[in-house]
Amino acid sequence: MNKNGDYLLKNLEEKFKQNEVVLSENEIIEGYEKIKRDVFALPDVEIVIEPWQISQKDEDFIYLTFDYGIKNQGEVRIHKYQFLTQDNGNYKLQMKHSDFFLLVDSEHQSKSRFIKSSVLVEQLTSDNLRPATKFYSARKEFIFALDSLNFLAQKDIHTGEQVEKYFSVMKSKLKDSSEAIENVDRKIEAVVEQYKYKAPSLEVKKKLEGLYQRNEELKKMHQEIEKSIDQIEKISEYSLSHKNRIKYLPDEKQKSAKHEKF
């Protein structure tokens, strides 16, 4: 193929010996398993807990007052690691949909039982009239795709089938979030129109407040995905010409938290 013999078998073999394996099979498995564990360990819902809702604390658990049935009261035992302390004295309780909690009956220990996180959320938010914050599955899938791209970028991989796959996932989540925003907007318009000429009940006000909060959460997620996609497109173009290792983070994040997870 050329007069210098560069493409002779023995010369090719010598050249291939200089090649460096970018990712071993074990590195790939360990890297993606860690990303999956970290992302899907994120909570599904978060609710505010005010001090008056806490009945007691011990070394490992926080106990929340819980009313159920007809004039029945008990305590829900929740491990402290699920709480985030706020500066104003409140707590934020983070849960997954699959979580169960022990409800201890104050008068009859034998009646103690486990309750689902959805039951707990409904009761506690009804007590303090604070809507719950939902962490959408689309957000987790977006973070998983972004973290996977970061993992590849750290190994100087900026192109190829896997990069295109995760970038495609992020674009699909952008479309999902846009459709979800439109859906919530329609629900808000329907409630506002229904109570245009009459005063809404406390329950309706709470529902409307929850819809407005969900709308803000979805818009925030949409903006995050949009910024990330824009940043990745810029970085990908740069990396192809400069061969630099660059993390896929928005501009402001690169400045303030170079090694911080987005």
Side-chain angles (χ1 to χ4, degrees), residues 47-48 50 88 90 124-126 128-132 206 209:
I47 60 173
V48 174
E50 297 180 10
N88 59 4
N90 292 337
L124 296 177
T125 55
S126 176
N128 62 23
L129 298 179
R130 294 176 179 267
K206 183 184 173 185
E209 183 183 351

Side-chain angles (χ1 to χ4, degrees), residues 53-56 61-68 73-79 83 93 95 100-106 113-117 119-120 123-124:
Q53 293 178 283
I54 298 173
S55 56
Q56 61 171 313
F61 297 96
I62 290 178
Y63 296 81
L64 305 179
T65 303
F66 189 86
D67 296 321
Y68 63 99
Q73 190 175 77
E75 294 177 323
V76 178
R77 189 183 72 179
I78 305 172
H79 205 284
F83 290 88
L93 171 59
M95 295 171 283
F100 280 83
F101 302 98
L102 179 63
L103 170 59
V104 181
D105 191 290
S106 302
R113 61 184 185 275
F114 286 93
I115 59 171
K116 290 197 255 184
S117 59
V119 176
L120 182 63
Q123 174 66 60
L124 296 177

Side-chain angles (χ1 to χ4, degrees), residues 189-198 207:
E189 289 175 7
V191 174
V192 171
E193 183 64 27
Q194 184 180 357
Y195 291 90
K196 191 174 182 179
Y197 300 108
K198 57 182 177 180
K207 178 183 178 181

Side-chain angles (χ1 to χ4, degrees), residues 42-152:
L42 294 172
D44 294 316
V45 64
E46 180 180 87
I47 60 173
V48 174
I49 302 296
E50 297 180 10
W52 61 267
Q53 293 178 283
I54 298 173
S55 56
Q56 61 171 313
K57 304 174 189 177
D58 60 28
E59 189 176 344
D60 299 312
F61 297 96
I62 290 178
Y63 296 81
L64 305 179
T65 303
F66 189 86
D67 296 321
Y68 63 99
I70 302 175
K71 296 183 179 180
N72 292 322
Q73 190 175 77
E75 294 177 323
V76 178
R77 189 183 72 179
I78 305 172
H79 205 284
K80 283 184 175 179
Y81 78 84
Q82 292 189 243
F83 290 88
L84 299 175
T85 306
Q86 304 298 291
D87 293 335
N88 59 4
N90 292 337
Y91 292 85
K92 282 190 175 180
L93 171 59
Q94 297 184 328
M95 295 171 283
K96 295 184 71 64
H97 294 316
S98 57
D99 284 346
F100 280 83
F101 302 98
L102 179 63
L103 170 59
V104 181
D105 191 290
S106 302
E107 297 182 2
H108 308 286
Q109 295 292 318
S110 60
K111 291 184 179 180
S112 298
R113 61 184 185 275
F114 286 93
I115 59 171
K116 290 197 255 184
S117 59
S118 57
V119 176
L120 182 63
V121 169
E122 184 179 356
Q123 174 66 60
L124 296 177
T125 55
S126 176
D127 288 344
N128 62 23
L129 298 179
R130 294 176 179 267
T133 299
K134 295 181 180 179
F135 296 91
Y136 300 93
S137 59
R139 182 179 178 80
K140 291 187 179 182
E141 291 168 20
F142 153 64
I143 294 173
F144 180 78
L146 182 61
D147 284 357
S148 298
L149 284 171
N150 279 331
F151 174 68
L152 294 171

